Amino acid sequence: MKAYRLLTEEDTAAFCHKVTQALAKGWELHGSPAYAHDPATGKMRCAQAVVKEVEGEYSPEMKLGQL
């Protein structure tokens, strides 16, 4: 099964660390990153999709961050 996650964070080093941690756990980048202004906070936000092949069947109870 292919698992999918969309990582998001404010445009800080925390976003890069979040993506780097996912890559270290075997996730792969999927598509290009996105960058947008959040008018509610006045800050820029980043997003990056990642995918990973895992064993088993999909369940809504899965903790994707723990794969």
Side-chain angles (χ1 to χ4, degrees):
M1 173 194 91
K2 186 173 281 197
Y4 170 90
R5 292 175 65 197
L6 181 64
L7 306 175
T8 64
E9 185 69 52
E10 286 183 7
D11 183 21
T12 66
F15 175 73
C16 294
H17 285 284
K18 186 183 279 191
V19 174
T20 300
Q21 181 181 35
L23 295 174
K25 290 183 175 183
W27 292 84
E28 297 180 9
L29 299 177
H30 181 74
S32 299
Y35 192 63
H37 182 259
D38 181 351
T41 64
K43 297 182 179 178
M44 296 301 289
R45 294 196 57 88
C46 301
Q48 174 64 60
V50 293
V51 295
K52 183 178 184 180
E53 280 292 333
V54 295
E55 290 188 26
E57 296 293 320
Y58 171 74
S59 167
E61 290 81 33
M62 295 176 84
K63 301 292 184 196
L64 296 174
Q66 296 175 357
L67 295 178

